Amino acid sequence: MKYPYEFQQQDVPLLELALAILMLGSFFNDLLLILIYEIQIDLTEKSQMIFSTAFIILFMIKCQKMRLTIYLLIPAYITLILSKYWSHQSYFMVFLGLLFQIGYVSLVMVMPQYKYPKPTGKYLVGFREMKLQNGDLVSIYYPTLQKSKIRSINSCRNRDYIKQVYNDFQHVMHWRPPIMFIYWMLGFLNKVKVEDIEVDSPIIDGKLPTIVFSNGLGGLKDHYSVFYKEWASNGYQVYSIQQEEVTIILNEKEIHQYKTGEATLENQLGQQILGKVKMIRHQQLNDRVTKFQSLLDYVYKQQNVDFNKVIGAGHSFGAATVHRSAQIDKRISAGIILFDPWFLPFSEDTLNIKLSVPLLSVNSETFRLRKENETPQRYSVVFNAQQKKLVIMIKGSQHLCTTDLVYKMPFELKMFTKLNNLNKILQITIAHLRLSQYFIESLSPQKTLTKFEEFSKESFRQPIHEIEYK
């Protein structure tokens, strides 16, 4: 049997292709000097030519499977030019230059950038952005039939987000680095674009089922566009509100105490620090729920919303936001979808409240086991209290696997130990997409599981899921 979702194709952008062509031009320049002008070159220059040739061949072979990173190609090209100059001055410098170039190519080999999965529905995906009365930004993804001249946007369009990260440094460092350093450090966010959308195209007619989404801690509202586009292409409109808060709440001393083992979950110091975290996160959760309800206020004023099919969805802290909102707000009328929910911000008396709507929770293999977040015991309390539920774990997945980041900066995430299974990114995403789509269509945990197991047998070589609660 031929299994789909085995491999992933990648792009080579125009600018990066141009830089590779510059290196090709540099190589031909050397070749012309030898063949036409019969200029003698020494061993070091021959080594550079061999390296340039190897780089160009590598580029041609890999260009259909790997996106070469501009931050690596520019230094590689500059180093190549400098090493040619230094070859006439210092053998040591050209040797050092060659080592740098070899390092660049090695990094290029492991820095892929994947294509997003294409939406499977019959509609094009429209996009527009608006502000609520309280100033919160909301992205709206919806089914459309009309193409637009603008078909992509940068998902990190808010400079205030980077300023927030900059301010968070105060909590963990004795000094604040220059703001330009933070802009440079977070420059990889500019790689993350929302693609294949029709900006400001008209929405289709009729009352549409609606999904209201909440992003995770430190995330951005458009970092889940793979899901938004899939849902919108199948006839749903998606409202995603930007929810931001201070991400780092422990000071440098408290973080050091945890790292050195001075503070643990078993001693009084660790419990004191955990109590501080719970208190602050609980207040942040309340603030998030208030903002989420303001989005529901807006949604319920729209004429094209099917009020009987309003679904809440979210990731991590956003999943907690949606779950808590569903406990107190019946306007989430059809169900909730949780991706790796983080229940630490819940007060103890709200964990076991029974929901009136069905629940789907898709959990990663690692996050559900984090004892420092009290995740295992809180999962047990929350999910055992629900009657209509499907809680399922996707094997090999990690906490950020539901975000667009895994497609546009997988190596960067791997460097920070947030992503290990680069070869399973597409399979993990497809599993999340299919589970959420089956749940949205049926609003039945049992039917969702049945359809997904049928799909899984046809699509994956080995079972990719494990049932935790049903």
Side-chain angles (χ1 to χ4, degrees), residues 7 99 191 206 219 257 296 323 372 452 464 470:
F7 303 102
L99 286 181
K191 293 167 59 177
Q257 289 170 331
L296 287 172
H323 189 97
E372 68 272 22
F452 180 73
I464 198 172
K470 67 174 184 177

Side-chain angles (χ1 to χ4, degrees), residues 154-392:
N154 193 321
S155 63
C156 183
R157 304 183 298 283
N158 185 4
R159 291 176 70 88
D160 290 337
Y161 173 77
I162 296 181
K163 289 180 181 178
Q164 173 195 319
V165 176
Y166 179 62
N167 291 328
D168 283 350
F169 269 80
Q170 297 178 82
H171 297 274
V172 293
M173 302 181 72
H174 290 304
W175 61 282
R176 291 177 65 176
I179 185 68
M180 291 308 299
F181 172 79
I182 302 298
Y183 281 119
W184 172 79
M185 187 179 71
L186 296 179
F188 57 77
L189 289 173
N190 294 323
K191 293 167 59 177
V192 184
K193 295 184 181 297
V194 180
E195 302 168 354
D196 299 319
I197 54 174
E198 316 301 333
V199 178
D200 291 331
S201 288
I203 192 170
I204 62 172
D205 295 329
K207 290 188 178 293
L208 303 177
T210 300
I211 300 168
V212 189
F213 196 94
S214 176
N215 61 268
L217 178 67
L220 294 169
K221 59 183 172 58
D222 294 306
H223 275 172
Y224 305 86
S225 71
V226 170
F227 290 90
Y228 305 157
K229 291 186 293 184
E230 176 67 18
W231 297 336
S233 73
N234 282 281
Y236 295 77
Q237 57 180 335
V238 184
Y239 290 81
S240 176
I241 184 172
Q242 180 61 47
Q243 300 202 301
E244 300 173 3
E245 53 275 306
V246 174
T247 55
I248 302 172
I249 59 177
L250 297 182
N251 58 42
E252 186 179 18
K253 179 181 177 181
E254 291 167 334
I255 292 174
H256 179 74
Q257 289 170 331
Y258 262 120
K259 285 183 176 180
T260 59
E262 182 182 351
T264 68
L265 295 179
E266 285 74 36
N267 63 31
Q268 185 177 1
L269 178 60
Q271 286 299 317
Q272 287 177 350
I273 296 175
L274 182 61
K276 170 188 172 180
V277 172
K278 287 181 179 179
M279 180 183 67
I280 296 174
R281 295 304 189 200
H282 178 65
Q283 182 57 53
Q284 290 177 340
L285 175 63
N286 290 338
D287 295 340
R288 276 174 158 257
V289 170
T290 299
K291 290 188 174 186
F292 196 76
Q293 288 180 306
S294 69
L295 176 57
L296 287 172
D297 292 339
Y298 177 83
V299 168
Y300 267 76
K301 292 177 183 177
Q302 307 309 303
Q303 299 297 317
N304 62 349
V305 173
D306 181 353
F307 300 133
N308 293 318
K309 203 166 186 181
V310 175
I311 298 169
H315 171 240
S316 190
F317 206 172
T321 304
V322 168
H323 189 97
R324 180 62 183 144
S325 299
Q327 289 179 340
I328 61 177
D329 197 325
K330 303 305 180 185
R331 290 179 296 179
I332 301 177
S333 58
I336 62 172
I337 301 172
L338 312 178
F339 296 124
D340 242 3
W342 184 44
F343 292 124
L344 185 68
F346 273 55
S347 60
E348 303 296 332
D349 60 335
T350 59
L351 283 170
N352 62 350
I353 295 177
K354 182 179 176 181
L355 299 178
S356 60
V357 294
L359 172 153
L360 168 69
S361 183
V362 188
N363 304 331
S364 68
E365 191 168 21
T366 53
F367 189 76
R368 67 197 175 100
L369 303 175
R370 291 181 60 178
K371 294 182 179 179
E372 68 272 22
N373 285 333
E374 299 182 349
T375 301
Q377 57 267 44
R378 286 176 175 255
Y379 270 22
S380 177
V381 174
V382 171
F383 294 133
N384 281 323
Q386 309 310 316
Q387 182 177 0
K388 296 175 286 185
K389 61 179 180 287
L390 172 60
V391 183
I392 197 165

Side-chain angles (χ1 to χ4, degrees), residues 34 39-49 83-91 94:
I34 297 170
I39 293 177
Q40 299 294 318
I41 63 173
D42 58 21
L43 180 61
T44 54
E45 288 184 305
K46 289 179 181 177
S47 299
Q48 294 164 40
M49 289 190 66
S83 64
K84 289 179 181 178
Y85 169 76
W86 284 328
S87 66
H88 297 284
Q89 312 293 327
S90 167
Y91 285 97
V94 73

